[in-house]
Amino acid sequence: MASGGRVENGVTTQMSEDNGLPNQWVRLNVGGKYFLTTKTTLCRDPQSFLCRLCQDDHTLNSDKDESGAYLIDRDPTFFGPVLNYLRHGKLVINKHLEEEGVLEEAEFYNIDELIRLVKRRIADTESQRLLLERKKHVYRVLQCQEEELTQMVSTMSDGWKFEQIVNIGSTYNYGNDDSSEFLCVVSRECDSTTANGFSEMKEPQDKGKVLQQKGSR
């Protein structure tokens, strides 16, 4: 109910007798934390608990504190994304905030569209997690001569890339015409269900030799 009003620039604004705020504004006490918003925001979903609350739906048996704020016994941590959705219609969740917690609040406040958005976000997050679990890096070590390096680089394909090249030849030739030898470490991200992970890789060249785990030197 209103108790008179105030006049600003020739416009009379009705004031609430409970909290001294204009009638359009609503104060909420969620788990001990105060939120200030408008009835228009809270009524974005006409079927929601919050819309019914600010319309003084007596079936809710809601109470107010000494400041006139509606008392809601819920976790205020997860209420922020709920209120922001009602303000602008977008789902914004801090990366450190559990999506399941926001879903719980959306269901409590009975905001259907927000429930749908959060469930989709949770499903997308789970899909990304499963995809990352299926991915692994497979490494292969090749031995080649110095003159073979260029050809090896040009023939790499299917997502393989060089990780490291190690010169295993002597720094000093001592008149030896042989070229230096190199170990080339290559890697590829592949599905963990792919046998061995590198069955599709083309040999960098015929003289490239795959070193076994125990090494050949």
Side-chain angles (χ1 to χ4, degrees), residues 44 117 123 176-177:
R44 183 183 185 92
L117 290 175
N176 192 339
D177 294 332

Side-chain angles (χ1 to χ4, degrees), residues 40-187:
T40 301
T41 294
L42 296 181
C43 290
R44 183 183 185 92
D45 184 341
Q47 304 302 317
S48 72
F49 169 90
L50 294 170
C51 182
R52 295 169 57 197
L53 183 70
C54 69
Q55 291 179 342
D56 292 324
D57 187 334
H58 298 294
T59 63
L60 295 178
N61 296 319
S62 59
D63 295 320
K64 296 181 180 181
D65 65 13
E66 64 278 2
S67 71
Y70 288 99
L71 287 165
I72 303 177
D73 186 22
R74 303 295 294 182
D75 189 340
T77 304
F78 299 103
F79 185 69
V82 174
L83 184 57
N84 283 332
Y85 166 77
L86 294 174
R87 285 169 171 157
H88 48 58
K90 297 180 181 179
L91 176 59
V92 180
I93 301 178
N94 187 292
K95 65 180 180 179
H96 300 299
L97 205 60
E98 292 292 336
E99 294 164 340
E100 288 79 3
V102 179
L103 176 60
E104 186 69 25
E105 298 309 293
E107 291 177 340
F108 173 81
Y109 294 114
N110 192 36
I111 306 173
D112 291 338
E113 180 61 17
L114 180 58
I115 293 172
R116 185 184 66 81
L117 290 175
V118 180
K119 285 184 175 180
R120 178 188 295 175
R121 174 75 66 85
I122 292 174
D124 290 344
T125 300
E126 180 65 12
S127 296
Q128 293 175 7
R129 184 186 67 81
L130 292 175
L131 182 61
L132 289 175
E133 286 183 354
R134 291 180 56 190
K135 294 291 184 181
K136 68 176 183 179
H137 280 86
V138 175
Y139 293 88
R140 198 171 185 183
V141 182
L142 305 173
Q143 183 177 351
C144 65
Q145 299 291 327
E146 182 177 2
E147 66 270 11
E148 298 170 339
L149 278 176
T150 301
Q151 183 178 355
M152 183 181 294
V153 171
S154 64
T155 56
M156 294 292 290
S157 61
D158 297 326
W160 288 90
K161 64 180 181 179
F162 281 99
E163 294 288 346
Q164 188 176 10
I165 299 177
V166 181
N167 188 338
I168 59 175
S170 173
T171 306
Y172 306 98
N173 289 328
Y174 295 113
N176 192 339
D177 294 332
D178 293 339
S179 301
S180 298
E181 287 190 314
F182 293 86
L183 294 183
C184 301
V185 182
V186 297
S187 70

Side-chain angles (χ1 to χ4, degrees), residues 201-216:
M201 178 185 177
K202 297 179 180 178
E203 286 292 342
Q205 77 133 289
D206 294 337
K207 293 183 179 179
K209 296 176 284 293
V210 181
L211 300 183
Q212 304 301 322
Q213 289 184 354
K214 62 182 180 181
S216 63

Side-chain angles (χ1 to χ4, degrees), residues 12-26:
T12 301
T13 302
Q14 294 297 324
M15 307 296 291
S16 169
E17 62 183 12
D18 293 320
N19 53 31
L21 292 172
N23 277 343
Q24 176 63 17
W25 288 89
V26 179

